Amino acid sequence: MTGYEVRNTNGKKGKGLFAIKQFNKGDVILEEDPLVSCQFAWNAAYRYMACDYCMRPLETPEQNVRRLAAKPDIVLPHAGNFEADLMNVNSCGQCESLYCCEDCKQRAYNSYHRLLCYDQADARHPIHILLEAWKQMHYPPETTNILLLVRILAFIKQHPDPASAAGAIKQFCHRTVNEDAELVHKMLGEQFTDQMKTLRELTASVISGDVVEDFLTPEGFCTMMALIGTNGQGIGTSPLAQWVSYVTELPMSDVEQQQMDLLIDKIYKDVENESGQFLNTEGSGLFVLQSACNHSCAPNAESTFPYGNHRVQLKALKTIMPGDEIFISYLDECTLQRSRHSRQKELAENYLFMCSCERCTSETTQPDVTSEEEMSDEDCDYDD
């Protein structure tokens, strides 16, 4: 029996995820694979090699660090344990898309790839043209990828019951406007009308047909863009982070531990000097259960990716009692530390709601400050 259920909330949030048993701090509430996931377009362009299906990185920690730090002579202790992860790398015989294993290759083919396989060297192919147009409209850091939308449409068309798959996608909350607060998703403002028209036409040139025609009308395409913008869960995987997690758990003396900590600090400094904080394989995915979690600025759960791929794990941050709603934060740790007004602004632009969580309610007397000086990104501790 699962310890959670999706049900209607009492407020305007629609549905939410609720506990039906007690979870203690650190307990795993659920694990879930996405319907589809996709690496960000610029992330791939910057040579972050990843499985085209599950986003598992396709380089060892040592290869990863040497590339990010631009130091080909870096040697990581205990890094050989990760080489076996790349023994089963597979590629599509038609388009040469890479997969971490044969199973991922088959899952991709059965889910969306059969319709989207193309010669990636063909600059005139509709997918290539769409991705290049997207990259010119959305520079890093990206928060989603037009290819995620394309994969959703392919998922519908390839599904054994396309009508059922289309209905499942429509069940996601994908309003483009929050009528109560008159908020419009930032990607859908009037200044982006021409861009949206271009993206819709280019997407329709990639994939179309009866079962997806509702999603390719001007209104339908806007709702799909809002869907991937508001429901797409960010996914980050990192060979370096996996290696750090592994070596810090190894038994060693205090002196060895101190030396290892110094080495790790130096590696991160070398990487940051060369590549900044853009060091993970990043993308987004569409999760059925995880996306049912509503936001709180004082969350009682968090989404993590402990397997180095797109499988999400929802863990309790504090005790959650039966009947409690399970909340996550839609904001990153840095933004979560900012003022109520700054958090509200970010949530309104990206998720179409004004937060009324317990923390926001308790901070209503705060001044309406949105200046970036209150806390710049550099002030935040970076968590890989």
Side-chain angles (χ1 to χ4, degrees), residues 95-209:
C95 68
E96 299 184 350
S97 291
L98 295 175
Y99 301 94
C100 65
C101 60
E102 178 66 25
D103 185 53
C104 277
K105 177 181 171 182
Q106 287 302 316
R107 287 173 181 265
Y109 186 82
N110 295 334
S111 178
Y112 57 83
H113 190 68
R114 177 167 54 83
L115 290 176
L116 303 180
C117 184
Y118 76 104
D119 180 1
Q120 297 183 24
D122 181 4
R124 297 172 298 175
H125 192 278
I127 293 179
H128 181 88
I129 294 171
L130 174 62
L131 282 173
E132 289 305 306
W134 173 263
K135 285 193 290 184
Q136 294 308 308
M137 296 176 190
H138 298 272
Y139 292 96
E142 294 169 275
T143 54
T144 189
N145 184 355
I146 190 66
L147 196 54
L148 181 64
L149 187 156
V150 171
R151 288 187 178 183
I152 292 170
L153 297 181
F155 166 80
I156 293 170
K157 289 201 69 171
Q158 285 195 204
H159 197 276
D161 185 351
S164 172
I169 296 299
K170 289 178 180 178
Q171 290 301 309
F172 283 90
C173 175
H174 55 272
R175 293 175 298 177
T176 58
V177 178
N178 181 315
E179 295 82 358
D180 296 325
E182 296 183 352
L183 304 171
V184 181
H185 193 274
K186 65 180 182 181
M187 291 192 297
L188 306 178
E190 289 185 7
Q191 68 271 35
F192 299 119
T193 299
D194 291 342
Q195 291 186 358
M196 290 295 292
K197 182 175 183 290
T198 298
L199 288 174
R200 182 174 68 85
E201 291 173 349
L202 292 178
T203 298
S205 71
V206 172
I207 189 164
S208 58

Side-chain angles (χ1 to χ4, degrees), residues 3 28 33 43 109 172 182-183 204 207 211 222 235 247 270 274 296 301 332 338 346:
V28 174
D33 290 331
N43 195 266
Y109 186 82
F172 283 90
E182 296 183 352
L183 304 171
I207 189 164
V211 294
C222 282
I235 300 169
V247 295
D270 288 342
E274 178 66 26
S296 171
D332 61 39
R338 296 182 175 178
E346 187 82 9

Side-chain angles (χ1 to χ4, degrees), residues 135-324:
K135 285 193 290 184
Q136 294 308 308
M137 296 176 190
H138 298 272
Y139 292 96
E142 294 169 275
T143 54
T144 189
N145 184 355
I146 190 66
L147 196 54
L148 181 64
L149 187 156
V150 171
R151 288 187 178 183
I152 292 170
L153 297 181
F155 166 80
I156 293 170
K157 289 201 69 171
Q158 285 195 204
H159 197 276
D161 185 351
S164 172
I169 296 299
K170 289 178 180 178
Q171 290 301 309
F172 283 90
C173 175
H174 55 272
R175 293 175 298 177
T176 58
V177 178
N178 181 315
E179 295 82 358
D180 296 325
E182 296 183 352
L183 304 171
V184 181
H185 193 274
K186 65 180 182 181
M187 291 192 297
L188 306 178
E190 289 185 7
Q191 68 271 35
F192 299 119
T193 299
D194 291 342
Q195 291 186 358
M196 290 295 292
K197 182 175 183 290
T198 298
L199 288 174
R200 182 174 68 85
E201 291 173 349
L202 292 178
T203 298
S205 71
V206 172
I207 189 164
S208 58
D210 293 345
V211 294
V212 296
E213 63 182 5
D214 288 350
F215 300 110
L216 293 171
T217 64
E219 182 180 359
F221 189 76
C222 282
T223 63
M224 285 297 286
M225 288 296 291
L227 184 153
I228 64 172
T230 59
N231 285 276
Q233 165 65 43
I235 300 169
T237 62
S238 166
L240 173 55
Q242 285 182 289
W243 173 79
V244 169
S245 177
Y246 172 75
V247 295
T248 52
E249 294 296 323
L250 293 175
M252 57 183 75
S253 67
D254 291 343
V255 173
E256 290 172 327
Q257 183 66 64
Q258 188 176 29
Q259 292 174 337
M260 182 62 70
D261 290 343
L262 290 172
L263 175 62
I264 291 171
D265 288 344
K266 184 179 185 306
I267 287 170
Y268 273 116
K269 183 163 290 190
D270 288 342
V271 167
E272 186 172 351
N273 288 339
E274 178 66 26
S275 301
Q277 296 180 351
F278 190 44
L279 57 82
N280 292 347
T281 301
E282 295 181 337
S284 60
L286 190 64
F287 295 84
V288 174
L289 290 171
Q290 190 269 354
S291 68
C293 288
N294 287 308
H295 166 84
S296 171
C297 295
N300 55 15
E302 67 175 347
S303 298
T304 63
F305 296 88
Y307 301 109
N309 60 15
H310 67 191
R311 185 171 181 82
V312 71
Q313 187 179 85
L314 192 64
K315 294 183 71 173
L317 290 173
K318 58 186 74 170
T319 300
I320 301 173
M321 300 301 293
D324 287 351

Side-chain angles (χ1 to χ4, degrees), residues 317-379:
L317 290 173
K318 58 186 74 170
T319 300
I320 301 173
M321 300 301 293
D324 287 351
E325 185 171 359
I326 299 169
F327 292 104
I328 60 175
S329 172
Y330 295 175
L331 304 173
D332 61 39
E333 191 59 38
C334 182
T335 309
L336 203 58
Q337 295 174 22
R338 296 182 175 178
S339 70
R340 173 183 179 271
H341 197 71
S342 290
R343 300 195 309 268
Q344 296 274 2
K345 183 173 181 289
E346 187 82 9
L347 290 166
E349 288 181 352
N350 290 285
Y351 299 100
L352 307 181
F353 69 90
M354 300 300 291
C355 185
S356 58
C357 72
E358 187 176 296
R359 179 182 169 195
C360 284
T361 301
S362 70
E363 295 175 353
T364 52
T365 57
Q366 283 188 354
D368 289 347
V369 176
T370 58
S371 72
E372 292 303 309
E373 286 76 20
E374 65 164 313
M375 182 181 289
S376 67
D377 287 342
E378 288 74 16
D379 295 328

